[in-house]
Amino acid sequence: MIQRIQTIYLLLAVAFIMALFYFPLGKMAGDTGEASYFIYGLMEGLEGKVTLLTPFPFGLWIVFVLISFATVLFYKNRPRQIFLCRLLWMLVAVGQGVIFFYGYRLAGLFPDRSFKISPVAFLPLVSMLFVVLALRRIHKDEELVRAADRLR
C-alpha cells in the first residue's frame, strides 16, 4: 500500500490541504482592526475570537481528507480508486472556488477594511496536481493488470 507511488501522491495532496486548516487564507486590515480569514471563519485580532463562521468550506475540506484516506485504503480496488480520485479532483476544484467566493464575500461585508489573499489560498491547486498524478499512476497500474491478465 505505502510502496505505491500513488499513495505518496495522495498523502501529499492531503498534506497540502491540511495546511489550509492551520494557516490564514487571507488578511483584512483597516481602521477598526485586523482579521484573518481561515478555512473555518474570520478570526478577529490576536485574541483568536472567531467572529464569522464559514462551515461549508470547512466541511468540504474535511470530506476531502476523509475521501483521500479512503482512496488510499482501496488499493486493491483500482476502479473504485479511479472514481474516488475523480471525485477528489472535482472537490478540489469546487473547494478552490469556494475559498475565493467566501474570501471576497467577507471582503464585501467589511468595506472599511482592505483584503489580501495569502499564497496559502492557492495550495488546493498543488493538491489538485497531486490528485491528477495519483490518478495517472492508478490508470497505469490498471493497464498493467489487464495486460498481465491477457497473458494468462
Side-chain angles (χ1 to χ4, degrees):
M1 176 173 72
I2 196 72
Q3 65 268 24
R4 297 170 64 210
I5 190 71
Q6 56 264 35
T7 302
I8 303 297
Y9 288 149
L10 287 170
L11 291 177
L12 283 171
V14 169
F16 281 107
I17 293 302
M18 292 300 287
L20 294 177
F21 293 102
Y22 299 109
F23 299 110
L25 303 173
K27 294 216 181 262
M28 298 176 77
D31 297 335
T32 58
E34 188 175 300
S36 297
Y37 166 47
F38 285 88
I39 199 71
Y40 47 82
L42 190 66
M43 189 177 289
E44 290 283 340
L46 297 174
E47 64 270 359
K49 179 180 153 196
V50 177
T51 58
L52 187 63
L53 288 176
T54 54
F56 181 68
F58 183 71
L60 185 71
W61 294 116
I62 292 290
V63 168
F64 176 86
V65 169
L66 293 176
I67 291 176
S68 294
F69 284 125
T71 304
V72 169
L73 294 177
F74 284 124
Y75 62 94
K76 289 185 180 181
N77 191 348
R78 280 173 296 283
R80 181 168 288 164
Q81 265 191 327
I82 290 170
F83 171 76
L84 289 175
C85 276
R86 289 179 180 156
L87 180 65
L88 287 173
W89 186 84
M90 287 187 284
L91 278 174
V92 171
V94 168
Q96 184 69 46
V98 166
I99 284 174
F100 287 114
F101 173 76
Y102 273 90
Y104 286 107
R105 182 90 169 139
L106 288 173
L109 289 175
F110 301 99
D112 59 330
R113 297 179 178 179
S114 64
F115 181 70
K116 301 235 187 243
I117 287 281
S118 169
V120 175
F122 295 99
L123 285 180
L125 297 177
V126 177
S127 179
M128 185 183 284
L129 172 73
F130 283 117
V131 169
V132 169
L133 289 173
L135 184 61
R136 289 180 65 193
R137 295 303 297 218
I138 294 168
H139 274 296
K140 280 187 180 181
D141 275 0
E142 185 66 21
E143 288 173 10
L144 282 173
V145 168
R146 287 185 186 181
D149 285 344
R150 278 184 289 207
L151 292 175
R152 287 184 203 178

